Amino acid sequence: QCLLSGSWRSDTGCRMVVSVLGKDGSFSGSYLPGPAASDSEILSSPLEGSQQDAGLVPQPTFSFTVHWRLQARTTAFLGQCYVGTNGEEILHALWLLREAADSPDEDWKATR
């Protein structure tokens, strides 16, 4: 089915919880970094995104952003939900993390 509502865990231990999935494909929830994150990043942070209509596309694409609490950072995720041969739902995503830069000269190092 590939509906994003619920709890998801990455290979690195990060956790995404989608608490609200709207009829239009919009969703919100929270994101918690995995054990590799520093102590200052341990706070759960809000996320918002959207997903293709799973009724029209069996393996829909999605995107969401995480606005990190207490830090001048935003991460954007873009991916697709796949349904395996055993019916298991798997998310594959790419991400970009953007930190605030102090000046245009520092812009080059603000995106990972």
Side-chain angles (χ1 to χ4, degrees), residues 1-93:
Q1 182 73 14
C2 264
L3 294 175
L4 291 181
S5 58
S7 181
W8 299 85
R9 186 172 302 277
S10 75
D11 293 341
T12 60
C14 298
R15 197 167 130 222
M16 174 178 82
V17 177
V18 176
S19 54
V20 177
L21 183 60
K23 291 182 181 182
D24 64 351
S26 64
F27 60 87
S28 61
S30 60
Y31 190 88
L32 184 65
S38 68
D39 289 339
S40 65
E41 294 177 327
I42 297 299
L43 292 175
S44 176
S45 296
L47 66 83
E48 291 186 26
S50 64
Q51 174 185 2
Q52 267 183 306
D53 186 339
L56 299 176
V57 180
Q59 300 185 113
T61 60
F62 62 89
S63 64
F64 65 92
T65 56
V66 175
H67 301 283
W68 298 101
R69 293 181 192 239
L70 307 177
Q71 296 181 2
R73 295 180 176 178
T74 299
T75 304
F77 292 81
L78 180 65
Q80 186 168 359
C81 182
Y82 294 99
V83 179
T85 54
N86 62 356
E88 179 183 9
E89 297 172 335
I90 301 166
L91 303 182
H92 283 237

